[in-house]
């Protein structure tokens, strides 16, 4: 094993340090395996209940009328999320598209959108019109209000209550921290927030941006009152093999509205050929619970590796997880770039490519992204991204197998050692610190 790691460019100190860190995670990893088992059975039950059959894998072309596989997959998703309906299509190009669709189809001119959890994900700023953009909600006369989280990451109930007015129609709640250094929301917290919101105004539509959160707990936001949960298939629910797509699971009315916006008024869910995507969408969803578990282990491993070395990490090493993202504040652009290059070098595809920061569409500052993935840009696969701005944090996520997530972590640490960001002496000290704590 040691030789293999050495051949793949991970030196002795880093390898040993990884061993020491993992030895202390046995119990947590066992709990993650139980979670994966629970969610695996939940998904399997939905497959069986809806009689997923070989014919469901075939797909259609053209208009896609009576697409059995597509319609059955939507029922399977709806059952897993415990919602009335679901829209899940290869025509939904990504998570941002799914979110934009959910918002634009359920809001009307004169309505107001509220985010009670601070600034939404970067790409939504242009959807909403926080940053002026063609086709934004703002251009259609839909206004936006935001209430930030309190300094300790809690909900500012007083301000939220004040922000809800006669125009407030839809509330967007982002489960995951995204590119921020705030805590990710647990399902319990989301449930509390939704109960409060509906207490203020019962007919509010509560939407949760579920990106990176699927299968990280036994429940989903729709189990605690969300009217819509929205996400990307090149993250958790695609299981690493869905080649494209997004989903909107929710009430019949919300999903119906979204379907008329995706296709056309009058057509809705009846059209939209699934082409050849169905086998991967089904199999990916089937694999998603264990794939998400691998990514969770990778995130926890990273938190422990870096916290012990003295870097600020969110969530911290011992904290409970509600998404698969691990933020590590490395403090300098050089360190962030070295880390991402290390992740890239650990990839099965394009490992020889050296990523550089660039002006990605939809993002406010330059971003560096490491992703040597089978599905381009897939971030359920081992990947790291970082906006080049203070505090210079990298956001690490994914790993469709645990051994690969583990290797990627060590390779990235090795890159920091090679770049002179972390010294052999510091790794030795971190090991000593670990040995003083019990296993
Ligand atoms: C990734 C992500 C999105 C957008 O998804 P894309 O597929 O990249 O468009 C939205 N919200 C959050 C919290 C995300 O992590």
């Amino acid at each position: 094993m040691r030789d293999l790691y050495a051949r793949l460019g991970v030196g002795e100190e880093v390898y040993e340090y990884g061993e020491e860190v993992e030895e202390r995670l046995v119990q947590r990893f066992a709990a993650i395996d139980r979670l994966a088992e629970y969610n695996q059975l939940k998904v399997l039950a939905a497959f069986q209940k809806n009689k997923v059959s070989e014919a469901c894998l075939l797909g259609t072309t053209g208009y896609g009328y009576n697409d059995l596989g597509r319609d059955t997959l939507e029922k399977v998703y709806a059952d897993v999320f415990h919602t009335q309906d679901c829209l899940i299509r290869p025509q939904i190009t990504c998570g941002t598209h799914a979110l934009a669709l959910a918002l634009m189809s359920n809001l009307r001119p004169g309505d107001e959108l509220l985010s009670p959890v601070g600034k939404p994900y970067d790409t939504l700023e242009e959807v909403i019109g926080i940053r002026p953009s063609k086709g934004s909600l703002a251009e259609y006369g839909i206004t936006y209000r935001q209430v930030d989280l309190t300094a300790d990451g809690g909900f500012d109930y007083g301000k939220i209550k004040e922000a809800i007015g006669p125009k407030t129609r839809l509330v967007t709640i982002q489960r995951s921290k995204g590119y921020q250094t705030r805590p990710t929301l647990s399902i319990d917290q989301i449930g509390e927030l939704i109960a409060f919101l509906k207490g203020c105004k019962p007919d509010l539509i509560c939407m949760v941006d579920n990106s990176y959160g699927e299968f990280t707990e036994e429940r989903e936001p729709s189990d605690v009152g969300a009217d819509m949960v929205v996400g990307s298939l090149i993250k958790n629910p695609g299981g690493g093999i869905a080649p494209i797509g997004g989903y909107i699971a929710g009430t019949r009315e919300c999903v119906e509205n979204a379907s008329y916006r995706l296709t056309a008024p009058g057509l809705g869910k009846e059209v939209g050929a699934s082409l050849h995507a169905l086998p991967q969408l089904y199999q990916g969803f089937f694999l998603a619970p264990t794939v998400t578990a691998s990514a969770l282990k990778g995130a926890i491993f990273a938190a422990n590796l870096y916290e012990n070395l003295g870097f600020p990490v969110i969530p911290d090493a011992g904290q409970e997880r509600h998404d698969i993202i691990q933020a590590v504040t490395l403090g300098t652009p050089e360190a962030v770039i070295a880390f991402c290059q290390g992740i890239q070098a650990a990839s099965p595809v394009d490992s020889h490519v050296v990523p550089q920061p660039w002006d990605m569409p939809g993002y406010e500052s330059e971003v560096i992204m490491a992703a040597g993935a089978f599905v381009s840009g897939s971030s359920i696969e081992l990947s790291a991204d970082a906006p080049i701005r203070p505090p210079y944090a990298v956001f690490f996520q994914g790993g469709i197998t645990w051994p690969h997530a583990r290797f990627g972590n060590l390779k990235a640490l090795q890159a920091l050692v090679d770049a002179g960001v972390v010294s052999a002496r510091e790794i030795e000290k971190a090991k000593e610190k670990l040995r003083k704590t019990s296993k």
Side-chain angles (χ1 to χ4, degrees):
M1 185 77 86
R2 221 172 272 262
D3 285 352
L4 260 173
Y5 269 92
R7 249 197 284 158
L8 289 164
V10 174
E12 189 72 20
E13 306 100 1
V14 170
Y15 178 82
E16 286 296 334
Y17 179 46
E19 293 288 290
E20 297 266 355
V21 168
E22 191 182 344
E23 277 169 25
R24 287 160 181 81
L25 295 173
V26 173
Q27 279 184 352
R28 288 193 74 190
F29 284 9
I32 290 173
D33 289 336
R34 293 295 288 176
L35 170 73
E37 186 178 352
Y38 180 91
N39 283 323
Q40 181 71 80
L41 296 189
K42 182 161 73 167
V43 170
L44 179 66
F47 271 59
Q48 296 188 350
K49 180 186 157 201
N50 291 291
K51 299 192 166 64
V52 173
S53 62
E54 205 177 345
C56 291
L57 305 176
L58 293 177
T60 56
T61 56
Y63 292 114
Y65 292 129
N66 303 312
D67 187 323
L68 175 73
R70 176 197 69 204
D71 295 348
T72 303
L73 183 64
E74 290 182 335
K75 289 186 188 140
V76 168
Y77 260 70
D79 278 340
V80 167
F81 285 99
H82 302 123
T83 54
Q84 291 173 339
D85 205 351
C86 185
L87 188 65
I88 155 172
R89 303 287 168 116
Q91 286 84 8
I92 301 178
T93 57
C94 61
T96 305
H97 185 191
L99 288 158
L101 196 58
L103 292 171
M104 292 179 162
S105 61
N106 283 286
L107 287 161
R108 295 289 178 271
D111 287 345
E112 188 157 87
L113 168 68
L114 170 68
S115 170
V117 296
K119 190 177 94 63
Y121 193 73
D122 280 39
T123 58
L124 281 193
E125 291 185 21
E126 284 178 86
V127 171
I128 295 168
I130 299 172
R131 276 185 284 141
S133 180
K134 283 209 192 313
S136 69
L137 291 173
E139 272 198 350
Y140 286 86
I142 295 157
T143 54
Y144 171 72
R145 269 181 94 151
Q146 176 178 315
V147 176
D148 290 335
L149 294 171
T150 57
D152 61 355
F155 304 124
D156 196 335
Y157 286 117
K159 288 213 177 109
I160 293 171
K161 196 175 173 117
E162 272 173 40
I164 298 173
K167 288 170 56 180
T168 317
R169 173 86 184 117
L170 200 154
V171 178
T172 177
I173 302 165
Q174 184 179 308
R175 179 174 179 181
S176 162
K177 68 179 98 50
Y179 280 158
Q180 288 167 276
T181 45
R182 63 135 162 116
T184 286
L185 305 177
S186 69
I187 292 295
D188 280 337
Q189 285 175 301
I190 291 171
E192 269 171 45
L193 177 59
I194 292 175
F196 178 81
L197 290 161
K198 300 238 173 187
C200 294
K201 191 171 179 183
D203 62 351
L204 279 179
I205 299 170
C206 294
M207 177 185 92
V208 176
D209 175 354
N210 208 21
S211 303
Y212 290 127
E214 299 91 350
F215 300 126
T216 60
E217 294 195 43
E218 289 183 0
R219 293 172 304 161
E220 297 293 337
S222 38
D223 292 313
V224 293
D227 301 294
M228 273 192 289
V229 286
V230 182
S232 163
L233 298 196
I234 62 170
K235 294 181 180 172
N236 309 14
I241 63 170
I244 192 169
Y247 74 90
I248 300 172
T251 63
R252 193 157 287 120
E253 194 184 341
C254 285
V255 172
E256 196 179 15
N257 281 336
S259 76
Y260 290 132
R261 177 86 195 197
L262 174 66
T263 63
L267 300 183
K269 290 184 82 188
E270 304 298 316
V271 297
S274 55
L275 304 172
H276 306 293
L278 287 171
Q280 289 145 305
L281 299 195
Y282 274 106
Q283 198 175 0
F285 198 47
F286 180 73
L287 293 172
T290 51
V291 168
T292 302
S294 299
L296 275 174
K297 288 179 186 174
I300 291 169
F301 188 56
N304 282 271
L305 282 177
Y306 289 97
E307 189 174 279
N308 269 302
L309 281 165
F311 292 100
V313 295
I314 297 177
D316 65 37
Q319 218 167 318
E320 250 191 277
R321 298 280 149 167
H322 311 293
D323 68 11
I324 63 164
I325 304 183
Q326 181 61 46
V328 181
T329 302
L330 295 168
T332 62
E334 296 73 33
V336 157
I337 292 167
F339 182 97
C340 290
Q341 291 177 346
I343 292 290
Q344 184 75 32
S347 304
V349 180
D350 285 336
S351 61
H352 51 285
V353 167
V354 181
Q356 303 291 346
W358 67 300
D359 261 320
M360 258 188 86
Y363 293 86
E364 195 180 4
S365 46
E366 276 200 320
V367 178
I368 180 166
M369 293 207 162
F374 294 100
V375 172
S376 182
S378 163
S379 50
I380 183 61
E381 296 185 56
L382 184 71
S383 50
D385 21 48
I388 306 293
R389 65 180 182 224
Y392 301 104
V394 291
F395 296 81
F396 164 88
Q397 69 270 314
I400 55 180
T401 70
W402 157 238
H404 187 233
R406 185 186 197 286
F407 172 72
N409 262 296
L410 296 181
K411 187 80 176 161
L413 179 54
Q414 185 69 53
L416 292 179
V417 171
D418 296 345
V421 176
V422 174
S423 68
R425 174 84 198 94
E426 284 167 310
I427 291 183
E428 201 45 53
K429 277 208 306 217
K431 266 194 273 186
E432 277 163 29
K433 207 167 102 192
L434 274 178
R435 287 189 196 124
K436 284 192 204 126
T437 62
S438 62
K439 280 186 194 173

